[in-house]
């Protein structure tokens, strides 16, 4: 008897509507479709509540943001419980001094497991109007496929190896990554690298190619580079969508992933943290000095 099981993550590669109400209705319907396809977790692209809109006017930006107790989030909490399925719902979060780019991971019982705000905001662009997040979270998520440790990065976070590394060190097995930018060979390669070096699964969902500056190509990597019964290494990519709108379900072989992590050499097996002091230095030298870099409370 085969006792292995897969964890199924639905990548909701959806085009947003023109209003939050449209996005709410479309998002709820997409979750129902994902559940019918056997999903244990449904994941939305970046800032689904507003379709990644960041108004220049501060007052317009504040009006577009929603709070943690908003009807928008509450509808997804109710639906997650009804469907017995976790939902990673993304939103422009009401915050001071300015809103945040956030994901709320709701478990299948309708409870928030974490609300993560994007740490690496794109301060060279319109995200300089948003408040960066302060830390990364990992949750013990109870799914119909069993318990799994889950964390999140958001878009630009993936371009920093520290993001995935911290999540791995906190125990994450699967990373849920909302996205809103063109996913081309180099960005997809970043995700492949993060999965490989940390031995984690990574599920990334993007907007389809009908959305400005996006092109679909949502991906999933299982992090398993070697199998005992196969010669050489394998591509850890288990799903890559095309550019079209759709729901794409990735099957993560969670038991095999855990067995791989117990025997292979990456992740935290042979690290030497006592040699890494420069990694926490706040000094920035040329050619990396940028005038538009915002200082945070820790720098």
């Amino acid at each position: 008897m085969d006792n292995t099981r897969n964890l199924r993550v639905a990548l909701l590669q959806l085009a947003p509507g023109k209003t939050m109400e449209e996005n709410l209705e479309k998002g709820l319907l997409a979750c129902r479709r994902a559940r019918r396809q056997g999903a244990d977790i449904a994941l939305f692209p970046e800032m689904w509540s507003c379709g990644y809109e960041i108004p220049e006017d501060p007052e317009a930006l504040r009006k577009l943001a929603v709070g943690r107790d908003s009807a928008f989030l509450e509808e997804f909490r109710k639906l997650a419980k009804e469907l017995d399925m976790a939902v990673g719902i993304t939103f422009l979060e009401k915050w001071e001094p300015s809103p945040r780019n956030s994901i709320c991971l709701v478990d299948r019982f309708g409870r928030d497991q974490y609300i993560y705000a994007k740490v690496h905001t794109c301060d060279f662009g319109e995200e300089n109007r948003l408040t960066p997040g302060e830390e990364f979270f990992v949750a013990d998520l109870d799914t119909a496929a069993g318990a799994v440790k889950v964390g999140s990065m958001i878009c630009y976070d993936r371009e920093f190896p520290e993001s995935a590394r911290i999540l791995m060190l906190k125990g994450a097995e699967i990373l849920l990554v909302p996205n809103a930018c063109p996913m081309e060979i180099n960005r997809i390669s970043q995700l492949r690298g993060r999965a490989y070096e940390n031995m984690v699964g990574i599920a990334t969902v993007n907007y389809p190619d009908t959305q400005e500056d996006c092109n679909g190509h949502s991906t999933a990597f299982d992090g398993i580079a070697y199998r005992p019964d196969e010669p050489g290494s394998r591509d850890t990519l288990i799903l890559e969508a095309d550019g079209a709108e759709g729901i794409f379900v990735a099957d993560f072989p969670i038991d095999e992933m855990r067995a791989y992590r117990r025997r292979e050499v990456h992740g935290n097996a042979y690290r030497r943290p006592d040699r890494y002091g420069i990694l926490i230095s706040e000094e920035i030298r040329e050619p990396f000095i940028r005038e538009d870099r915002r200082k945070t409370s820790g720098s």
Side-chain angles (χ1 to χ4, degrees):
M1 180 177 176
D2 185 0
N3 291 319
T4 62
R5 65 179 185 270
N6 285 354
L7 180 80
R8 308 197 81 196
V9 180
L11 309 178
L12 307 183
Q13 188 169 286
L14 306 175
K18 295 181 179 179
T19 66
M20 187 180 304
E21 290 72 24
E22 289 181 30
N23 292 338
L24 173 60
E25 182 178 358
K26 187 170 186 174
L28 295 174
L29 289 172
C31 286
R32 292 187 182 279
R33 287 178 55 200
R35 190 67 186 102
R36 288 196 295 269
Q37 292 176 236
D40 299 298
I41 305 172
L43 180 63
F44 283 87
E46 189 174 6
M47 284 205 307
W48 174 252
S49 66
C50 60
Y52 195 78
E53 180 183 353
I54 306 176
E56 188 172 353
D57 177 66
E59 187 58 31
L61 180 62
R62 288 191 179 91
K63 286 182 178 179
L64 199 58
V66 296
R68 299 184 176 197
D69 59 351
S70 64
F72 180 83
L73 288 185
E74 190 58 31
E75 287 298 315
F76 286 101
R77 294 182 181 115
K78 290 191 296 185
L79 186 66
K81 185 176 182 179
E82 175 191 335
L83 297 179
D84 195 38
M85 177 185 74
V87 177
I89 179 63
T90 59
F91 63 112
L92 180 65
E93 183 184 6
K94 187 176 294 184
W95 200 260
E96 292 297 336
S98 62
R100 306 198 303 185
N101 180 345
S102 299
I103 176 172
C104 178
L105 179 63
V106 182
D107 69 18
R108 65 190 178 114
F109 307 105
R111 304 174 304 205
D112 293 358
Q113 288 297 306
Y114 58 70
I115 294 180
Y116 166 70
K118 186 175 186 177
V119 167
H120 298 98
T121 48
C122 299
D123 294 344
F124 44 81
E126 59 190 357
E127 284 192 356
N128 63 10
R129 303 172 203 143
L130 305 180
T131 298
E134 296 181 345
E135 62 179 305
F136 296 93
F137 302 103
V138 171
D140 289 301
L141 185 66
D142 182 332
T143 77
V148 61
K149 293 184 180 294
V150 177
S152 286
M153 307 183 291
I154 297 178
C155 201
Y156 191 47
D157 282 328
R158 71 177 138 59
E159 304 209 15
F160 298 85
E162 295 87 352
S163 305
R165 175 101 331 167
I166 288 169
L167 290 166
M168 179 274 293
L169 291 173
K170 288 187 172 186
E173 300 173 290
I174 301 281
L175 308 186
L176 305 177
V177 187
N179 196 81
C181 70
M183 291 306 294
E184 39 72 50
I185 186 171
N186 293 301
R187 286 173 174 147
I188 292 175
S189 295
Q190 284 177 327
L191 294 165
R192 181 181 279 104
R194 303 290 170 260
Y196 172 76
E197 66 203 10
N198 293 295
M199 296 196 290
V200 295
I202 300 182
T204 302
V205 60
N206 196 26
Y207 287 102
D209 56 16
T210 53
Q211 177 78 345
E212 184 180 359
D213 202 33
C214 293
N215 68 335
H217 288 270
S218 300
T219 57
F221 296 87
D222 64 14
I224 301 172
Y226 310 102
R227 283 184 169 139
D229 57 348
E230 295 179 5
S233 63
R234 63 182 283 272
D235 189 352
T236 62
L237 179 72
I238 58 174
L239 183 150
E240 182 175 353
D242 57 16
E245 183 173 31
I247 296 174
F248 302 89
V249 179
D251 285 292
F252 287 92
I254 192 67
D255 290 326
E256 184 183 4
M257 290 165 61
R258 287 169 176 163
Y260 176 77
R261 297 179 108 204
R262 284 192 293 269
R263 70 174 182 266
E264 285 297 340
V265 301
H266 311 295
N268 198 22
Y270 298 103
R271 292 175 65 249
R272 297 285 180 86
D274 58 317
R275 306 291 197 271
Y276 304 157
I278 195 172
L279 291 178
I280 60 173
S281 170
E282 297 179 358
E283 182 181 7
I284 301 175
R285 300 178 181 178
E286 290 289 3
F288 303 114
I289 295 174
R290 304 290 186 271
E291 293 300 322
D292 55 4
R293 178 184 182 270
R294 286 188 290 178
K295 292 186 179 296
T296 63
S297 57
S299 61

